[in-house]
Amino acid sequence: MSDTSGNRKSATYALRRKLPQNKVGDVLFSLGMVARVPYFGTILPFVEEMEPGYCRVTAPKWFGVHNHIGTFHAIAACNLAETAMGMLMEATVPTTHRWIPKAMNAQYLTKATTRLTAHAELAEPIDFDTLTEGTDVVVSIRILDRESTEVVHCDITTWVTPA
């Protein structure tokens, strides 16, 4: 990815960079994110790392995400994937461009019986200086359980255009 965005960071990413780079900053940012996007709050997300091209978000296994067999619900895991993708895109896409989710391909690989951690990464680098028309950008998300077993894999296609 070309790092040519300079001071063109999204307001979301600029806020994250202003907060302390520790657990307190992570908690404050995560709470603010949920206030701005309330549906994310259904999984109690905690943004642990957020930088251009990468984001890591965890979610506890609690009764609010259980399915009928007591494991982490597949769609709650998809919500976790979308949370990680959204924060990655906020950290990556400069204010000269905008993005919106377009499609999600989810693979449910095995039962999720613990808290989950989503690792979102760009499938390919983006050079925003050459992006002059709309293009698909794929974010790949690996969702791991406590034992680092990938329980869900999502590829989320976003539509990125100049602002």
Side-chain angles (χ1 to χ4, degrees):
M1 171 180 41
S2 174
D3 187 15
T4 59
S5 61
N7 289 329
R8 302 178 296 175
K9 294 180 180 89
S10 73
T12 302
Y13 187 52
L15 172 63
R16 180 62 200 106
R17 301 307 301 160
K18 286 180 186 175
L19 292 169
Q21 299 300 305
N22 57 30
K23 292 285 184 197
V24 171
D26 294 345
V27 167
L28 291 172
F29 180 78
S30 297
L31 290 170
M33 176 192 65
V34 167
R36 175 112 172 138
V37 187
Y39 184 70
F40 287 168
T42 63
I43 59 166
L44 306 177
F46 183 68
V47 180
E48 294 182 328
E49 189 173 345
M50 178 183 175
E51 61 190 47
Y54 179 76
C55 185
R56 183 176 69 242
V57 182
T58 61
K61 183 175 174 282
W62 67 289
F63 74 88
V65 297
H66 285 179
N67 58 20
H68 65 288
I69 59 173
T71 61
F72 210 105
H73 194 284
I75 298 304
C78 286
N79 190 3
L80 176 60
E82 188 167 358
T83 303
M85 173 280 301
M87 294 305 100
L88 174 146
M89 292 301 282
E90 285 295 306
T92 304
V93 177
T95 57
T96 56
H97 291 74
R98 60 181 163 219
W99 65 272
I100 190 165
K102 183 176 175 183
M104 178 188 287
N105 180 344
Q107 299 170 31
Y108 308 113
L109 306 172
T110 190
K111 288 193 283 188
T113 59
T114 69
R115 73 166 171 80
L116 298 179
T117 303
H119 298 265
E121 299 177 90
L122 289 175
E124 295 181 21
I126 307 166
D127 184 352
F128 291 99
D129 288 337
T130 62
L131 201 153
T132 58
E133 58 185 52
T135 191
D136 286 341
V137 172
V138 177
V139 178
S140 180
I141 304 102
R142 294 176 303 116
I143 301 179
L144 310 178
D145 65 11
R146 267 199 187 145
E147 288 75 40
S148 296
T149 300
E150 187 172 14
V151 297
V152 177
H153 184 90
C154 292
D155 289 310
I156 300 178
T157 302
T158 62
W159 182 243
V160 178
T161 60

